[in-house]
Amino acid sequence: GDSVTQTEGPVTVSESESLIINCTYSATSIAYPNLFWYVRYPGEGLQLLLKVITAGQKGSSRGFEATYNKETTSFHLQKASVQESDSAVYYCALVPDTNAYKVIFGKGTHLHVLP
Amino acid sequence: DMKVTQMPRYLIKRMGENVLLECGQDMSHETMYWYRQDPGLGLQLIYISYDVDSNSEGDIPKGYRVSRKKREHFSLILDSAKTNQTSVYFCASSLFPGQANSDYTFGSGTRLLVI
């Protein structure tokens, strides 16, 4: 079936360091699903961070970026220099186009950024 | 301000009691969802509502039911709560599920403890 696997947390980095959170997907229902990164800050609901619907393209937001790689079926989240305010839980997700009502989430990666 | 509002934010119930979780959205979105999240697991879909009185089971519907009598309001009901239903529950809505121009908007979650 369709699934998402991402870096298990917690991940701890110091402010101004670089970050990568790995995400790989399996989409048996369709070759090229839509891919998303969501973020949940403490006490808040999930927010869309970025999305890419075309293989080969890159999405970016708030200094984060992720490239949709169909060859490696990956959608890793990267940031060159993290800030303490980036501390949150990050979720990789996919929507199989054949069932667009269903979002399949990864387990989430808890990021701690040390000041 | 477009948002999804969940009530209550925190709830403690005894095993066997009935539980009502409320969710409202002010965006006239047709589709609404209920998810639960547990430690080490991704968000699990409980129910989808495509519109008023048009609901469909998600991946883990057992022990839950839903009600959608108005487009802006979607309730999750636990009849005779069980301790394994202790979780964080998220409500979400979307306009055009899965499409690039439509995002999922999530509420802040309801933390339910069943003792």
Side-chain angles (χ1 to χ4, degrees):
Chain A
D2 302 314
S3 65
V4 174
T5 302
Q6 61 181 102
T7 301
E8 284 197 26
V11 172
T12 303
V13 296
S14 297
E15 207 166 29
S16 78
E17 288 187 343
S18 63
L19 169 73
I20 180 165
I21 299 176
N22 291 329
C23 172
T24 57
Y25 67 88
S26 172
T28 57
S29 58
I30 187 171
Y32 306 126
N34 299 332
L35 299 177
F36 303 78
W37 276 101
Y38 281 86
V39 57
R40 180 161 66 93
Y41 298 103
E44 299 182 15
L46 280 78
Q47 305 172 22
L48 180 67
L49 180 60
L50 56 87
K51 60 187 175 187
V52 180
I53 63 167
T54 303
Q57 294 200 348
K58 180 168 68 178
S60 60
S61 174
R62 308 179 207 178
F64 290 90
E65 57 182 37
T67 300
Y68 187 156
N69 189 320
K70 64 179 181 177
E71 283 78 25
T72 59
T73 62
S74 66
F75 191 54
H76 305 322
L77 183 68
Q78 302 182 72
K79 189 171 187 181
S81 177
V82 296
Q83 301 173 333
E84 192 176 357
S85 58
D86 293 326
S87 296
V89 183
Y90 292 82
Y91 298 87
C92 186
L94 71 83
V95 173
D97 200 41
T98 53
N99 183 2
Y101 288 96
K102 186 169 182 177
V103 183
I104 297 167
F105 289 91
K107 294 181 179 181
T109 301
H110 204 150
L111 172 66
H112 295 285
V113 179
L114 303 175
Chain B
D1 189 21
M2 300 183 294
K3 60 182 179 181
V4 172
T5 303
Q6 290 185 237
M7 294 292 289
R9 292 293 304 273
Y10 303 93
L11 187 60
I12 301 175
K13 286 287 191 177
R14 296 188 182 279
M15 197 167 56
E17 290 185 330
N18 297 332
V19 179
L20 173 65
L21 304 185
E22 311 262 25
C23 176
Q25 50 101 355
D26 58 4
M27 298 163 282
S28 297
H29 284 174
E30 290 184 353
T31 311
M32 296 186 74
Y33 312 76
W34 275 106
Y35 289 88
R36 64 177 280 178
Q37 183 179 25
D38 303 291
L41 298 177
L43 278 76
Q44 300 177 83
L45 180 63
I46 305 172
Y47 267 94
I48 301 174
S49 175
Y50 301 106
D51 209 331
V52 171
D53 284 330
S54 178
N55 306 316
S56 178
E57 294 181 347
D59 296 321
I60 54 163
K62 187 178 180 181
Y64 304 93
R65 61 183 174 94
V66 292
S67 174
R68 189 148 179 225
K69 298 301 182 184
K70 294 181 179 180
R71 178 172 285 187
E72 64 270 19
H73 194 250
F74 190 35
S75 300
L76 180 69
I77 300 128
L78 289 66
D79 294 316
S80 186
K82 300 173 180 55
T83 54
N84 62 8
Q85 293 178 306
T86 292
S87 187
V88 181
Y89 291 86
F90 289 100
C91 175
S93 72
S94 63
L95 185 58
F96 299 119
Q99 294 187 14
N101 60 348
S102 175
D103 300 332
Y104 295 79
T105 303
F106 283 83
S108 300
T110 294
R111 290 185 176 274
L112 172 66
L113 173 63
V114 182
I115 57 176

Short mmCIF file of all heavy atoms in Angstrom, two decimals, chain A residues 45-105:
data_model
loop_
_atom_site.label_atom_id
_atom_site.label_comp_id
_atom_site.label_asym_id
_atom_site.label_seq_id
_atom_site.Cartn_x
_atom_site.Cartn_y
_atom_site.Cartn_z
N GLY A 45 -2.10 23.37 15.73
CA GLY A 45 -2.41 22.31 14.78
C GLY A 45 -1.36 22.22 13.69
O GLY A 45 -0.45 23.04 13.62
N LEU A 46 -1.50 21.21 12.86
CA LEU A 46 -0.57 21.06 11.75
C LEU A 46 -0.76 22.19 10.75
O LEU A 46 -1.88 22.60 10.45
CB LEU A 46 -0.80 19.74 11.01
CG LEU A 46 -0.20 18.49 11.63
CD1 LEU A 46 -1.04 18.00 12.78
CD2 LEU A 46 -0.08 17.39 10.57
N GLN A 47 0.35 22.68 10.22
CA GLN A 47 0.31 23.71 9.18
C GLN A 47 1.07 23.19 7.97
O GLN A 47 2.09 22.53 8.12
CB GLN A 47 0.99 25.00 9.65
CG GLN A 47 0.49 25.58 10.93
CD GLN A 47 1.37 26.73 11.37
OE1 GLN A 47 2.08 27.35 10.58
NE2 GLN A 47 1.33 27.03 12.66
N LEU A 48 0.59 23.52 6.80
CA LEU A 48 1.32 23.17 5.60
C LEU A 48 2.61 23.97 5.54
O LEU A 48 2.59 25.20 5.64
CB LEU A 48 0.47 23.43 4.36
CG LEU A 48 1.14 23.11 3.03
CD1 LEU A 48 1.34 21.60 2.91
CD2 LEU A 48 0.32 23.62 1.87
N LEU A 49 3.73 23.28 5.37
CA LEU A 49 5.01 23.97 5.25
C LEU A 49 5.35 24.15 3.77
O LEU A 49 5.65 25.24 3.32
CB LEU A 49 6.11 23.16 5.94
CG LEU A 49 7.52 23.74 5.91
CD1 LEU A 49 7.57 25.11 6.56
CD2 LEU A 49 8.49 22.78 6.58
N LEU A 50 5.27 23.06 3.01
CA LEU A 50 5.50 23.17 1.57
C LEU A 50 4.92 21.94 0.88
O LEU A 50 4.67 20.93 1.52
CB LEU A 50 6.99 23.33 1.24
CG LEU A 50 7.96 22.28 1.76
CD1 LEU A 50 8.09 21.11 0.81
CD2 LEU A 50 9.35 22.89 1.98
N LYS A 51 4.72 22.08 -0.41
CA LYS A 51 4.17 20.97 -1.18
C LYS A 51 4.76 20.99 -2.58
O LYS A 51 5.11 22.05 -3.11
CB LYS A 51 2.65 21.07 -1.24
CG LYS A 51 2.14 22.35 -1.90
CD LYS A 51 0.66 22.46 -1.79
CE LYS A 51 0.17 23.81 -2.33
NZ LYS A 51 -1.27 24.03 -2.09
N VAL A 52 4.85 19.80 -3.17
CA VAL A 52 5.31 19.66 -4.55
C VAL A 52 4.46 18.59 -5.20
O VAL A 52 4.29 17.51 -4.64
CB VAL A 52 6.80 19.26 -4.62
CG1 VAL A 52 7.22 19.13 -6.08
CG2 VAL A 52 7.68 20.28 -3.91
N ILE A 53 3.93 18.90 -6.35
CA ILE A 53 3.06 17.93 -7.01
C ILE A 53 3.66 17.40 -8.30
O ILE A 53 3.10 16.49 -8.91
CB ILE A 53 1.67 18.53 -7.30
CG1 ILE A 53 1.77 19.70 -8.27
CG2 ILE A 53 1.00 18.96 -6.00
CD1 ILE A 53 0.43 20.13 -8.83
N THR A 54 4.81 17.93 -8.69
CA THR A 54 5.44 17.50 -9.93
C THR A 54 6.81 16.92 -9.63
O THR A 54 7.67 17.57 -9.00
CB THR A 54 5.59 18.68 -10.90
OG1 THR A 54 4.30 19.25 -11.15
CG2 THR A 54 6.19 18.20 -12.22
N ALA A 55 7.03 15.70 -10.09
CA ALA A 55 8.31 15.05 -9.86
C ALA A 55 9.43 15.88 -10.46
O ALA A 55 9.31 16.43 -11.56
CB ALA A 55 8.30 13.65 -10.46
N GLY A 56 10.53 15.98 -9.70
CA GLY A 56 11.68 16.75 -10.17
C GLY A 56 11.71 18.18 -9.70
O GLY A 56 12.75 18.85 -9.80
N GLN A 57 10.61 18.67 -9.17
CA GLN A 57 10.56 20.05 -8.75
C GLN A 57 10.87 20.19 -7.26
O GLN A 57 10.82 19.24 -6.50
CB GLN A 57 9.20 20.67 -9.07
CG GLN A 57 8.95 20.77 -10.57
CD GLN A 57 7.87 21.78 -10.91
OE1 GLN A 57 7.15 22.26 -10.05
NE2 GLN A 57 7.76 22.11 -12.19
N LYS A 58 11.18 21.42 -6.88
CA LYS A 58 11.54 21.73 -5.50
C LYS A 58 10.52 22.69 -4.91
O LYS A 58 10.08 23.63 -5.60
CB LYS A 58 12.94 22.33 -5.44
CG LYS A 58 13.41 22.69 -4.03
CD LYS A 58 14.90 23.02 -3.99
CE LYS A 58 15.23 24.29 -4.71
NZ LYS A 58 16.67 24.62 -4.61
N GLY A 59 10.17 22.44 -3.67
CA GLY A 59 9.32 23.37 -2.94
C GLY A 59 10.13 24.05 -1.85
O GLY A 59 11.09 23.47 -1.33
N SER A 60 9.76 25.26 -1.49
CA SER A 60 10.49 25.96 -0.44
C SER A 60 9.56 26.88 0.33
O SER A 60 8.57 27.40 -0.21
CB SER A 60 11.65 26.76 -1.02
OG SER A 60 11.18 27.72 -1.93
N SER A 61 9.89 27.06 1.61
CA SER A 61 9.10 27.93 2.48
C SER A 61 9.85 28.14 3.77
O SER A 61 10.41 27.19 4.32
CB SER A 61 7.74 27.29 2.76
OG SER A 61 6.99 28.04 3.71
N ARG A 62 9.88 29.35 4.27
CA ARG A 62 10.49 29.71 5.57
C ARG A 62 11.93 29.21 5.67
O ARG A 62 12.38 28.84 6.76
CB ARG A 62 9.66 29.13 6.72
CG ARG A 62 8.18 29.46 6.68
CD ARG A 62 7.43 28.84 7.84
NE ARG A 62 6.04 28.61 7.51
CZ ARG A 62 5.16 28.03 8.33
NH1 ARG A 62 5.53 27.65 9.53
NH2 ARG A 62 3.91 27.85 7.94
N GLY A 63 12.63 29.16 4.57
CA GLY A 63 14.01 28.70 4.57
C GLY A 63 14.17 27.20 4.41
O GLY A 63 15.28 26.70 4.25
N PHE A 64 13.07 26.47 4.45
CA PHE A 64 13.10 25.02 4.23
C PHE A 64 12.89 24.74 2.75
O PHE A 64 12.22 25.48 2.06
CB PHE A 64 11.98 24.32 5.02
CG PHE A 64 12.19 24.31 6.50
CD1 PHE A 64 11.70 25.34 7.30
CD2 PHE A 64 12.85 23.26 7.11
CE1 PHE A 64 11.88 25.33 8.67
CE2 PHE A 64 13.03 23.23 8.49
CZ PHE A 64 12.55 24.27 9.27
N GLU A 65 13.48 23.63 2.30
CA GLU A 65 13.22 23.20 0.95
C GLU A 65 13.22 21.68 0.86
O GLU A 65 13.81 21.00 1.70
CB GLU A 65 14.24 23.80 -0.03
CG GLU A 65 15.67 23.50 0.27
CD GLU A 65 16.61 24.18 -0.73
OE1 GLU A 65 16.32 25.32 -1.16
OE2 GLU A 65 17.63 23.57 -1.08
N ALA A 66 12.53 21.18 -0.14
CA ALA A 66 12.46 19.73 -0.37
C ALA A 66 12.28 19.51 -1.86
O ALA A 66 11.49 20.19 -2.52
CB ALA A 66 11.30 19.12 0.40
N THR A 67 13.00 18.51 -2.38
CA THR A 67 12.94 18.18 -3.81
C THR A 67 12.28 16.83 -3.99
O THR A 67 12.63 15.85 -3.33
CB THR A 67 14.35 18.17 -4.42
OG1 THR A 67 14.93 19.45 -4.25
CG2 THR A 67 14.28 17.81 -5.89
N TYR A 68 11.34 16.78 -4.89
CA TYR A 68 10.60 15.57 -5.22
C TYR A 68 11.47 14.73 -6.16
O TYR A 68 11.61 15.05 -7.34
CB TYR A 68 9.30 16.00 -5.89
CG TYR A 68 8.28 14.94 -6.18
CD1 TYR A 68 6.94 15.31 -6.30
CD2 TYR A 68 8.59 13.60 -6.36
CE1 TYR A 68 5.96 14.37 -6.58
CE2 TYR A 68 7.62 12.66 -6.65
CZ TYR A 68 6.30 13.06 -6.76
OH TYR A 68 5.32 12.14 -7.05
N ASN A 69 12.03 13.65 -5.63
CA ASN A 69 12.92 12.81 -6.41
C ASN A 69 12.22 11.49 -6.71
O ASN A 69 12.07 10.64 -5.82
CB ASN A 69 14.23 12.56 -5.65
CG ASN A 69 15.28 11.88 -6.49
OD1 ASN A 69 14.96 10.97 -7.26
ND2 ASN A 69 16.52 12.29 -6.36
N LYS A 70 11.79 11.31 -7.95
CA LYS A 70 11.04 10.11 -8.29
C LYS A 70 11.94 8.89 -8.41
O LYS A 70 11.50 7.75 -8.21
CB LYS A 70 10.26 10.31 -9.58
CG LYS A 70 11.12 10.53 -10.80
CD LYS A 70 10.27 10.70 -12.05
CE LYS A 70 11.15 10.89 -13.27
NZ LYS A 70 10.37 10.99 -14.51
N GLU A 71 13.23 9.10 -8.72
CA GLU A 71 14.14 7.96 -8.86
C GLU A 71 14.39 7.29 -7.52
O GLU A 71 14.41 6.07 -7.41
CB GLU A 71 15.47 8.41 -9.47
CG GLU A 71 15.44 8.66 -10.96
CD GLU A 71 14.80 9.98 -11.33
OE1 GLU A 71 14.82 10.89 -10.48
OE2 GLU A 71 14.30 10.11 -12.46
N THR A 72 14.60 8.10 -6.51
CA THR A 72 14.86 7.54 -5.18
C THR A 72 13.61 7.52 -4.30
O THR A 72 13.69 7.13 -3.14
CB THR A 72 15.95 8.36 -4.46
OG1 THR A 72 15.51 9.72 -4.36
CG2 THR A 72 17.26 8.31 -5.23
N THR A 73 12.50 7.94 -4.85
CA THR A 73 11.22 8.06 -4.12
C THR A 73 11.44 8.75 -2.79
O THR A 73 11.05 8.26 -1.72
CB THR A 73 10.50 6.72 -3.93
OG1 THR A 73 11.33 5.84 -3.15
CG2 THR A 73 10.18 6.07 -5.25
N SER A 74 12.07 9.92 -2.85
CA SER A 74 12.40 10.65 -1.63
C SER A 74 11.91 12.09 -1.71
O SER A 74 11.69 12.64 -2.80
CB SER A 74 13.90 10.63 -1.39
OG SER A 74 14.58 11.34 -2.40
N PHE A 75 11.77 12.68 -0.54
CA PHE A 75 11.29 14.07 -0.43
C PHE A 75 11.87 14.65 0.86
O PHE A 75 11.17 15.05 1.76
CB PHE A 75 9.76 14.08 -0.43
CG PHE A 75 9.14 15.45 -0.60
CD1 PHE A 75 9.46 16.26 -1.66
CD2 PHE A 75 8.19 15.91 0.32
CE1 PHE A 75 8.88 17.51 -1.83
CE2 PHE A 75 7.60 17.15 0.17
CZ PHE A 75 7.93 17.95 -0.90
N HIS A 76 13.20 14.68 0.93
CA HIS A 76 13.89 15.09 2.15
C HIS A 76 13.73 16.58 2.42
O HIS A 76 13.81 17.40 1.50
CB HIS A 76 15.39 14.77 2.05
CG HIS A 76 15.67 13.33 1.74
ND1 HIS A 76 14.94 12.28 2.26
CD2 HIS A 76 16.61 12.77 0.92
CE1 HIS A 76 15.42 11.14 1.81
NE2 HIS A 76 16.43 11.41 0.99
N LEU A 77 13.57 16.92 3.68
CA LEU A 77 13.42 18.33 4.09
C LEU A 77 14.78 18.85 4.56
O LEU A 77 15.43 18.23 5.40
CB LEU A 77 12.39 18.44 5.22
CG LEU A 77 12.08 19.85 5.70
CD1 LEU A 77 11.34 20.64 4.62
CD2 LEU A 77 11.24 19.79 6.99
N GLN A 78 15.17 20.01 4.03
CA GLN A 78 16.47 20.56 4.37
C GLN A 78 16.36 22.04 4.73
O GLN A 78 15.49 22.75 4.23
CB GLN A 78 17.45 20.42 3.20
CG GLN A 78 17.65 18.99 2.75
CD GLN A 78 18.66 18.88 1.63
OE1 GLN A 78 19.84 19.04 1.84
NE2 GLN A 78 18.20 18.60 0.43
N LYS A 79 17.28 22.45 5.61
CA LYS A 79 17.41 23.87 5.92
C LYS A 79 18.88 24.15 6.22
O LYS A 79 19.52 23.39 6.94
CB LYS A 79 16.54 24.29 7.10
CG LYS A 79 16.50 25.81 7.30
CD LYS A 79 15.49 26.24 8.34
CE LYS A 79 15.39 27.77 8.36
NZ LYS A 79 14.44 28.28 9.37
N ALA A 80 19.40 25.20 5.67
CA ALA A 80 20.83 25.47 5.77
C ALA A 80 21.23 25.95 7.17
O ALA A 80 22.31 25.63 7.65
CB ALA A 80 21.23 26.52 4.74
N SER A 81 20.35 26.68 7.81
CA SER A 81 20.68 27.25 9.12
C SER A 81 19.40 27.36 9.95
O SER A 81 18.56 28.21 9.70
CB SER A 81 21.31 28.64 8.94
OG SER A 81 21.57 29.24 10.20
N VAL A 82 19.27 26.46 10.92
CA VAL A 82 18.02 26.42 11.69
C VAL A 82 18.03 27.47 12.81
O VAL A 82 19.08 27.93 13.26
CB VAL A 82 17.76 25.03 12.31
CG1 VAL A 82 17.58 24.00 11.21
CG2 VAL A 82 18.89 24.63 13.27
N GLN A 83 16.82 27.81 13.23
CA GLN A 83 16.65 28.74 14.34
C GLN A 83 15.90 28.04 15.47
O GLN A 83 15.21 27.04 15.23
CB GLN A 83 15.85 29.95 13.87
CG GLN A 83 16.50 30.71 12.74
CD GLN A 83 15.60 31.79 12.18
OE1 GLN A 83 14.39 31.70 12.25
NE2 GLN A 83 16.22 32.82 11.63
N GLU A 84 16.02 28.58 16.66
CA GLU A 84 15.34 27.97 17.80
C GLU A 84 13.83 27.88 17.55
O GLU A 84 13.17 26.92 17.98
CB GLU A 84 15.63 28.77 19.07
CG GLU A 84 15.20 28.06 20.36
CD GLU A 84 15.58 28.83 21.59
OE1 GLU A 84 16.23 29.90 21.48
OE2 GLU A 84 15.21 28.37 22.69
N SER A 85 13.29 28.85 16.84
CA SER A 85 11.86 28.87 16.56
C SER A 85 11.41 27.77 15.59
O SER A 85 10.22 27.58 15.38
CB SER A 85 11.45 30.23 15.99
OG SER A 85 12.19 30.50 14.81
N ASP A 86 12.36 27.05 15.02
CA ASP A 86 12.02 25.93 14.14
C ASP A 86 11.71 24.66 14.93
O ASP A 86 11.32 23.64 14.34
CB ASP A 86 13.17 25.63 13.16
CG ASP A 86 13.39 26.74 12.16
OD1 ASP A 86 12.38 27.38 11.76
OD2 ASP A 86 14.55 26.98 11.78
N SER A 87 11.89 24.69 16.22
CA SER A 87 11.58 23.53 17.06
C SER A 87 10.11 23.19 16.91
O SER A 87 9.23 24.00 17.19
CB SER A 87 11.90 23.82 18.52
OG SER A 87 13.29 24.03 18.69
N ALA A 88 9.83 21.97 16.46
CA ALA A 88 8.46 21.56 16.15
C ALA A 88 8.49 20.10 15.74
O ALA A 88 9.54 19.46 15.73
CB ALA A 88 7.88 22.41 15.02
N VAL A 89 7.33 19.58 15.40
CA VAL A 89 7.22 18.24 14.83
C VAL A 89 6.93 18.38 13.34
O VAL A 89 6.01 19.11 12.96
CB VAL A 89 6.12 17.40 15.51
CG1 VAL A 89 6.10 15.99 14.92
CG2 VAL A 89 6.33 17.35 17.02
N TYR A 90 7.70 17.69 12.54
CA TYR A 90 7.58 17.79 11.08
C TYR A 90 7.04 16.48 10.53
O TYR A 90 7.53 15.39 10.87
CB TYR A 90 8.95 18.12 10.46
CG TYR A 90 9.41 19.51 10.84
CD1 TYR A 90 10.04 19.75 12.05
CD2 TYR A 90 9.21 20.58 9.97
CE1 TYR A 90 10.44 21.03 12.42
CE2 TYR A 90 9.61 21.86 10.32
CZ TYR A 90 10.22 22.07 11.55
OH TYR A 90 10.61 23.34 11.90
N TYR A 91 6.05 16.58 9.65
CA TYR A 91 5.41 15.42 9.07
C TYR A 91 5.55 15.44 7.54
O TYR A 91 5.17 16.41 6.90
CB TYR A 91 3.91 15.39 9.39
CG TYR A 91 3.58 15.30 10.85
CD1 TYR A 91 3.46 16.45 11.62
CD2 TYR A 91 3.36 14.07 11.46
CE1 TYR A 91 3.15 16.39 12.97
CE2 TYR A 91 3.05 13.99 12.80
CZ TYR A 91 2.95 15.16 13.55
OH TYR A 91 2.64 15.08 14.88
N CYS A 92 6.06 14.36 7.01
CA CYS A 92 6.04 14.17 5.58
C CYS A 92 4.72 13.47 5.23
O CYS A 92 4.23 12.63 6.00
CB CYS A 92 7.23 13.30 5.17
SG CYS A 92 7.46 13.08 3.40
N ALA A 93 4.13 13.81 4.10
CA ALA A 93 2.83 13.24 3.76
C ALA A 93 2.68 13.13 2.25
O ALA A 93 3.32 13.86 1.49
CB ALA A 93 1.70 14.10 4.34
N LEU A 94 1.83 12.21 1.84
CA LEU A 94 1.52 12.10 0.42
C LEU A 94 0.03 11.94 0.21
O LEU A 94 -0.69 11.47 1.09
CB LEU A 94 2.29 10.94 -0.23
CG LEU A 94 1.92 9.49 0.09
CD1 LEU A 94 0.75 9.00 -0.76
CD2 LEU A 94 3.11 8.59 -0.17
N VAL A 95 -0.40 12.37 -0.94
CA VAL A 95 -1.78 12.17 -1.36
C VAL A 95 -1.75 11.38 -2.64
O VAL A 95 -1.27 11.87 -3.67
CB VAL A 95 -2.52 13.49 -1.58
CG1 VAL A 95 -3.89 13.24 -2.18
CG2 VAL A 95 -2.65 14.26 -0.27
N PRO A 96 -2.23 10.14 -2.60
CA PRO A 96 -2.30 9.37 -3.84
C PRO A 96 -3.40 9.92 -4.72
O PRO A 96 -4.54 10.03 -4.28
CB PRO A 96 -2.61 7.95 -3.35
CG PRO A 96 -3.27 8.14 -2.02
CD PRO A 96 -2.73 9.40 -1.44
N ASP A 97 -3.09 10.31 -5.89
CA ASP A 97 -4.03 11.05 -6.71
C ASP A 97 -5.30 10.27 -7.00
O ASP A 97 -6.34 10.85 -7.26
CB ASP A 97 -3.36 11.45 -8.02
CG ASP A 97 -4.08 12.61 -8.68
OD1 ASP A 97 -4.49 13.54 -7.96
OD2 ASP A 97 -4.26 12.58 -9.90
N THR A 98 -5.19 8.94 -6.93
CA THR A 98 -6.38 8.15 -7.21
C THR A 98 -7.39 8.21 -6.07
O THR A 98 -8.52 7.84 -6.23
CB THR A 98 -6.00 6.68 -7.46
OG1 THR A 98 -5.21 6.24 -6.35
CG2 THR A 98 -5.22 6.53 -8.74
N ASN A 99 -6.94 8.60 -4.90
CA ASN A 99 -7.86 8.78 -3.77
C ASN A 99 -7.47 10.06 -3.07
O ASN A 99 -6.83 10.06 -2.03
CB ASN A 99 -7.79 7.59 -2.81
CG ASN A 99 -8.78 7.73 -1.66
OD1 ASN A 99 -9.55 8.69 -1.59
ND2 ASN A 99 -8.77 6.77 -0.75
N ALA A 100 -7.85 11.16 -3.69
CA ALA A 100 -7.35 12.45 -3.24
C ALA A 100 -7.91 12.87 -1.90
O ALA A 100 -7.49 13.87 -1.35
CB ALA A 100 -7.67 13.51 -4.29
N TYR A 101 -8.87 12.14 -1.36
CA TYR A 101 -9.41 12.49 -0.06
C TYR A 101 -8.54 12.00 1.07
O TYR A 101 -8.73 12.37 2.21
CB TYR A 101 -10.82 11.91 0.10
CG TYR A 101 -11.84 12.61 -0.76
CD1 TYR A 101 -12.20 12.11 -1.99
CD2 TYR A 101 -12.44 13.79 -0.33
CE1 TYR A 101 -13.13 12.77 -2.78
CE2 TYR A 101 -13.37 14.45 -1.11
CZ TYR A 101 -13.71 13.93 -2.34
OH TYR A 101 -14.64 14.57 -3.11
N LYS A 102 -7.60 11.15 0.79
CA LYS A 102 -6.85 10.52 1.87
C LYS A 102 -5.42 11.02 1.88
O LYS A 102 -4.70 10.89 0.90
CB LYS A 102 -6.87 9.01 1.71
CG LYS A 102 -6.25 8.27 2.87
CD LYS A 102 -6.53 6.79 2.76
CE LYS A 102 -5.94 6.04 3.94
NZ LYS A 102 -6.27 4.60 3.89
N VAL A 103 -5.00 11.58 3.00
CA VAL A 103 -3.62 12.00 3.19
C VAL A 103 -2.92 10.96 4.04
O VAL A 103 -3.42 10.55 5.08
CB VAL A 103 -3.54 13.36 3.91
CG1 VAL A 103 -2.08 13.80 4.02
CG2 VAL A 103 -4.36 14.41 3.20
N ILE A 104 -1.78 10.49 3.57
CA ILE A 104 -1.02 9.49 4.31
C ILE A 104 0.18 10.19 4.93
O ILE A 104 1.02 10.75 4.23
CB ILE A 104 -0.59 8.35 3.38
CG1 ILE A 104 -1.86 7.66 2.86
CG2 ILE A 104 0.32 7.36 4.11
CD1 ILE A 104 -1.61 6.74 1.71
N PHE A 105 0.23 10.16 6.25
CA PHE A 105 1.27 10.86 6.99
C PHE A 105 2.36 9.91 7.45
O PHE A 105 2.12 8.75 7.77
CB PHE A 105 0.68 11.52 8.24
CG PHE A 105 -0.19 12.70 7.96
CD1 PHE A 105 -1.56 12.54 7.78
CD2 PHE A 105 0.34 13.97 7.89
CE1 PHE A 105 -2.38 13.64 7.53
CE2 PHE A 105 -0.46 15.07 7.64
CZ PHE A 105 -1.82 14.90 7.47
#
